[in-house]
Amino acid sequence: MSNQVQDAYIVAATRLPIGKSGRGYFKNTRPDEMLVKVMQAVLAQAPGLDPAAIEDAIVGCSFPEGEQGMNIARVASVLAGLGPTIGGVTINRYCASGITAVQMAADRIRVGEADVMFAGGVESMSMIPMGGNKPSLSPLIFEKDENIGIAYGMGLTAEKVAAQWKISREAQDAFSVESHRRAVAAMAAGHFDAEMTPFDVVERTPNLADGTVNTKTRTVKLDEGARPDTSLEGLAKLKPVFAAKGSVTAGNSSQTSDGSGGLLIVSEAALKRYNLTPLARFVSFAVRGVPPEIMGIGPIAAIPVALKAAGITAADLDWIELNEAFAAQSLAVLNDLDSKGIELDRAKVNPNGGAIALGHPLGATGAIRAASVIHGLRRTGGKYGMVTMCVGAGQGAAGIFERL
């Protein structure tokens, strides 16, 4: 970007395995504990850095309340041992919260206001349900037809996208099968190893006989949601869950999940001062609004803007993380962009599977997928990568990175 004064470099990027909400790895693990682990892991990847040099921790979270309330960014930075002088702010752009945290941290550096920043995301959908503990919609939403989409459930917006962009049930299910196939293959090949920080899950069960508590620890190293037995035949048996005569099912939707990811972003001066090795450069970011009732098509509006700001074309992208909120909206985005001459190579879109297989811990996803892009580019030798997603209430976001 022509108006920046310096570049922002990513020197560390990692994430935890993604667990199934309500019944998975992290169902009893507090989100602040997940975020603490990510912060500590990021610091471990930059051994020459004085933690006190971090000016601020910016953390995305879609529903920052309950166990992930009280400004979880600041709470976790203290608990992680970063030191009392480091700031912390929790930000919310729903599914794009994590990538927005990266953009905000990078921009602080690019305009010369900071030299070292932490950016990340965290979400426990086990502890905080979709919509939060006490959803409360403004009555003003219902006074104008064009605003009612703000109140729609995400599944209903996917149904509307499927209808408007003519995405068939068969196409959605085939897309979902491929997501699981790629995820399972990537796990078997060890492609997630570089981006993943294992987590020790502590399970506590009461012993009713003697009143003690039995403690068991297990280390989790892989995402929990990918299913090797996913098939077209199996998905075809599932009933629509958002509209009686619809096409969106649990099998062609993203999984509700728990997870966290984080990045350490620095200036060139900090690179030299602390003898750090850059993994990637933050190149550009864009966000655009779309009608709330078809929020899934948000990337269609954001991607061209991010590409233009980066000075590249879609053909230059070597790795694309297109968040699979729903197969319907993912396919609509890809097909619509094709019609506009912005063709995203399908082999480079979610090469390790997407949220349908791996899970979508809302506000954490942008940071998690940023780690995936950076390490994916480094493993394959690609140059440019993009993280993009649709956003609840009608937005799309896209961020572009360059491998160094």
Side-chain angles (χ1 to χ4, degrees):
M1 294 178 66
S2 60
N3 58 346
Q4 71 180 50
V5 299
Q6 61 183 349
D7 280 315
Y9 300 95
I10 293 88
V11 295
T14 194
R15 69 178 184 91
L16 302 184
I18 298 173
K20 297 179 180 179
S21 70
R23 62 191 188 283
Y25 294 153
F26 301 127
K27 63 181 180 180
N28 296 317
T29 300
R30 288 181 58 94
D32 44 17
E33 294 175 7
M34 291 192 288
L35 183 56
V36 163
K37 179 65 174 180
V38 165
M39 287 179 165
Q40 292 173 337
V42 162
L43 280 175
Q45 292 181 10
L49 179 71
D50 179 1
I54 301 174
E55 180 172 324
D56 207 357
I58 304 177
V59 174
C61 183
S62 284
F63 295 99
E65 57 183 85
E67 289 87 347
Q68 55 195 29
M70 305 298 290
N71 190 3
I72 192 171
R74 170 60 178 171
V75 171
S77 67
V78 173
L79 296 179
L82 271 61
T85 63
I86 298 165
V89 59
T90 305
I91 58 109
N92 180 12
R93 201 196 294 275
Y94 292 140
C95 302
S97 298
I99 192 63
T100 300
V102 175
Q103 167 253 317
M104 293 174 68
D107 282 356
R108 288 288 310 282
I109 290 168
R110 296 201 294 180
V111 301
E113 291 181 347
D115 284 311
V116 185
M117 299 282 292
F118 173 87
V122 67
E123 199 82 36
S124 172
M125 299 184 76
S126 291
M127 295 189 176
I128 308 299
M130 179 76 77
N133 291 314
K134 185 185 176 183
S136 179
L137 297 172
S138 169
L140 296 175
I141 290 172
F142 305 97
E143 291 185 359
K144 294 183 178 180
D145 290 344
E146 62 264 32
N147 296 334
I148 293 176
I150 295 174
Y152 285 0
M154 296 298 98
L156 183 56
T157 70
E159 288 285 8
K160 288 188 171 294
V161 167
Q164 187 169 334
W165 273 264
K166 296 180 172 58
I167 308 298
S168 69
R169 166 70 182 270
E170 292 74 19
Q172 293 174 56
D173 286 351
F175 183 90
S176 302
V177 169
E178 180 64 6
S179 182
H180 283 277
R181 187 198 68 77
R182 291 186 180 192
V184 171
M187 289 180 183
H191 290 170
F192 292 109
D193 293 351
E195 70 188 64
M196 194 79 73
T197 290
F199 190 93
D200 292 334
V201 176
V202 179
E203 300 173 347
R204 298 177 178 87
T205 55
N207 186 326
L208 300 180
D210 60 13
T212 61
V213 175
N214 296 326
T215 301
K216 179 182 178 181
T217 300
R218 60 170 176 155
T219 302
V220 296
K221 299 180 180 180
L222 289 173
D223 300 319
E224 194 174 18
R227 296 186 296 272
D229 60 346
T230 301
S231 66
L232 287 174
E233 295 76 17
L235 293 183
K237 296 176 182 178
L238 300 177
K239 295 181 179 181
V241 292
F242 304 106
K245 297 182 179 181
S247 60
V248 180
T249 71
N252 56 42
S253 304
S254 60
Q255 301 181 34
T256 57
S257 313
D258 308 324
S260 183
L263 300 85
L264 195 62
I265 309 174
V266 306
S267 67
E268 185 174 357
L271 284 178
K272 296 175 180 178
R273 184 180 309 131
Y274 300 106
N275 194 28
L276 301 170
T277 301
L279 305 177
R281 178 176 69 93
F282 187 80
V283 180
S284 71
F285 176 83
V287 62
R288 288 294 185 273
V290 297
E293 66 272 16
I294 50 172
M295 67 93 197
I297 57 95
I300 295 172
I303 288 172
V305 183
L307 288 171
K308 182 178 180 181
I312 62 173
T313 69
D316 295 314
L317 293 170
D318 297 305
W319 193 291
I320 302 156
E321 290 288 334
L322 169 63
N323 187 48
E324 300 169 357
F326 300 92
Q329 60 82 209
S330 297
L331 287 166
V333 167
L334 292 169
N335 295 345
D336 191 280
L337 288 173
D338 281 351
S339 71
K340 293 178 169 65
I342 305 173
E343 297 182 13
L344 301 181
D345 186 338
R346 302 303 194 265
K348 297 176 181 177
V349 176
N350 302 343
N352 289 342
I356 289 172
L358 301 174
H360 176 25
L362 298 180
T365 292
I368 289 171
R369 298 281 73 97
S372 298
V373 161
I374 290 166
H375 289 289
L377 288 172
R378 291 180 65 79
R379 180 175 57 80
T380 60
K383 185 174 184 180
Y384 289 107
M386 178 172 66
V387 177
T388 184
M389 66 277 291
C390 60
V391 184
Q395 297 180 71
I400 295 176
F401 300 83
E402 179 188 12
R403 178 188 64 85
L404 299 175

